[in-house]
Amino acid sequence: MKSYKSFRLFNEKISFLMDKKAMIVIFILFLVTSLVFVVSTGVGEMNINPLSVLQVFIGGGTESDRLIIQSFRLPRIIVALLVGMGLAVAGGILQGMIRNPLASPDILGITGGATVAVVGFLAIFSDKNHSLTVSINWLPLAAFIGATVVALLVYSLAWKNGVPPIRLVLIGIGVMALMKALTTMMMILGPVYQASQANLWITGSVSTSTWNNIAVLAPWTILFLLIAFLYARNINLQELGDDLATGLGGHVQKQRFTLLMISTALIGGSTAFAGGIGFVGLMAPHMARRLVGSSFGVLLPTSALLGGILVMVADLIGRTLFSPLEIPAGVFTASIGAPYFIYLLYKTRNS
C-alpha cells in the first residue's frame, strides 16, 4: 500500500507539474480549437467575417448574423466540439486500459451498442411524420444503456480470473460484428424513412443539432470529462501491467471496470447526438501521445482538444466542400481514419 501511495504521489506531481513542452502544446491546441470554432461559425453558404462572429458572441452583430450563427451554426459546432472531445478521451482511456494504441470505442463494440440502442429508440418512438413521440432528452439515456449493456457484455465474456486486455479486444471485435448485424436487421425490417434516418446515425452527423441537444449533452460530457481527468493517474497505473500494478497496491480490476464505465458514458452521450462518428477515438489519443508523451494527466486534455478539432473540421468540410449538398462528418473522419488505422497496423506489426 505504501508503494501504491508513493506511485500516486509521483503521478500526481507529473500530472500537475506539467513540463513546459506539454503546457505549450495544450495552449497552442486551445488557440487552434478556438480559431477553428470561430472560422467554422463564420463559413457557410453565407460567409461572415471573424470579427462579426465575435461581435455576435458578445451580444452584438446584425440581426441576420445573429440568426444565422445562433440558430443554425452554433448548435452543430458546439455539439461537434463536445462529441469530438468525448470520443477522443474515451479512446484514450481504452488505449491506456488495454495497453494497445489500436484500441478504440469502435473496435470494442461500445459505439455499436450505443448505435443499436439509438436506432431502436428511433424505430420505436418515431411516428409516420418522422417526429419523436417522446422527449429528445431520453436519447442519451438510450445510447448510454446500449453502450453500457455492450460494455458489460464484453467485460463479462472476457472475464477469466480478471479481464486480460487481449481477451477484451478479441471479444470486443466479435461483439462489434454482432452489433452491426443487429443494426442492419433493424434497418431492413423498419420502414424506408427509418432506414434513411438510421443510415445517417451510423455514418455520424451533427447536422440536426439543436440547443436542446446541447442542454443535455454539455453537462453530461463535461461531467464525465472532469471525472476522466481526475481519474487519469489510474490509467498510468494500468499501463504498467497487471502484475506490477497489483504489486504497487493498485486495485487493477476495479479500476479497469471504472475506466470502462467512464469511457462508456462518454461514448453513449456522443453517439446519442452525433451517431457513429468513427476513428476519432483512435486518431486523437495517438496524435496526442506523439505531442505530449504517454502520461495521461496531459494526454487526455490534449486528446480532447484534438478530438474537438477533428470533428469540427470534418463537419466544416462536409457542409461547405460540396455545397449545397451536405456530407456527414463521419464520412471525412472515416476517410482519414481508415488509412491512419492501416498505418498504425503497419507501424506496430513487430510489436
Side-chain angles (χ1 to χ4, degrees):
M1 185 61 67
K2 186 177 180 181
S3 299
Y4 179 53
K5 287 181 179 178
S6 299
F7 175 82
R8 287 183 61 180
L9 288 172
F10 174 76
N11 218 351
E12 286 172 0
K13 289 180 182 179
I14 294 297
S15 298
F16 289 103
L17 300 176
M18 302 177 187
D19 60 77
K20 290 183 179 180
K21 178 185 175 183
M23 292 178 67
I24 292 171
V25 168
I26 291 175
F27 179 70
I28 292 173
L29 286 175
F30 177 78
L31 293 179
V32 173
T33 302
S34 302
L35 179 63
V36 171
F37 189 93
V38 172
V39 170
S40 183
T41 304
V43 174
E45 290 188 15
M46 178 179 173
N47 292 325
I48 303 172
N49 70 67
L51 289 178
S52 297
V53 171
L54 293 175
Q55 285 181 341
V56 173
F57 285 173
I58 60 176
T62 66
E63 186 176 348
S64 62
D65 286 351
R66 289 197 301 271
L67 176 65
I68 292 170
I69 291 173
Q70 295 175 355
S71 299
F72 301 110
R73 293 184 185 168
L74 263 185
R76 68 185 297 165
I77 295 169
I78 293 173
V79 168
L81 175 63
L82 292 170
V83 165
M85 294 176 76
L87 290 175
V89 170
I93 291 173
L94 293 174
Q95 289 177 12
M97 183 181 74
I98 297 173
R99 305 193 299 274
N100 190 326
L102 301 180
S104 73
D106 314 300
I107 292 173
L108 287 183
I110 300 174
T111 302
T115 303
V116 167
V118 168
V119 172
F121 182 89
L122 293 172
I124 295 170
F125 297 109
S126 292
D127 58 25
K128 293 182 179 179
N129 295 321
H130 308 186
S131 300
L132 285 175
T133 58
V134 297
S135 172
I136 188 69
N137 294 341
W138 292 104
L139 199 57
L141 179 61
F144 177 67
I145 290 173
T148 302
V149 168
V150 169
L152 292 174
L153 176 63
V154 172
Y155 191 87
S156 60
L157 290 175
W159 182 271
K160 187 178 181 181
N161 298 322
V163 180
I166 187 63
R167 283 175 61 87
L168 200 65
V169 172
L170 293 175
I171 291 172
I173 291 172
V175 172
M176 174 185 67
L178 175 61
M179 293 302 105
K180 286 186 176 181
L182 288 175
T183 303
T184 303
M185 183 179 70
M186 285 192 292
M187 290 169 59
I188 293 172
L189 296 177
V192 174
Y193 73 83
Q194 184 63 51
S196 175
Q197 195 174 16
N199 258 323
L200 185 63
W201 277 98
I202 293 168
T203 305
S205 174
V206 294
S207 62
T208 58
S209 301
T210 65
W211 287 108
N212 287 335
N213 297 158
I214 296 170
V216 178
L217 179 61
W220 178 279
T221 301
I222 292 170
L223 171 64
F224 283 101
L225 284 176
L226 290 175
I227 293 173
F229 295 157
L230 293 173
Y231 210 72
R233 61 177 178 267
N234 294 299
I235 313 176
N236 290 328
L237 188 64
Q238 292 277 322
E239 283 209 315
L240 297 175
D242 292 5
D243 293 338
L244 186 54
T246 302
L248 288 170
H251 303 286
V252 176
Q253 298 304 328
K254 181 180 177 181
Q255 291 169 357
R256 189 165 291 161
F257 180 78
T258 303
L259 290 167
L260 185 62
M261 289 299 100
I262 294 171
S263 62
T264 297
L266 290 169
I267 295 164
S270 298
T271 306
F273 293 111
I277 294 181
F279 292 101
V280 176
L282 173 70
M283 292 187 292
H286 198 77
M287 293 164 65
R289 196 173 287 108
R290 288 176 172 271
L291 292 173
V292 298
S294 57
S295 176
F296 281 84
V298 292
L299 179 66
L300 291 186
T302 306
S303 298
L305 292 171
L306 285 169
I309 292 170
L310 284 171
V311 179
M312 284 193 296
V313 170
D315 178 59
L316 175 62
I317 295 172
R319 63 185 170 85
T320 58
L321 188 61
F322 301 101
S323 182
L325 182 65
E326 188 168 309
I327 308 298
V331 171
F332 294 99
T333 59
S335 64
I336 298 171
Y340 192 75
F341 183 64
I342 295 171
Y343 163 75
L344 288 181
L345 284 172
Y346 178 77
K347 288 281 289 185
T348 58
R349 65 191 185 281
N350 295 322
S351 300

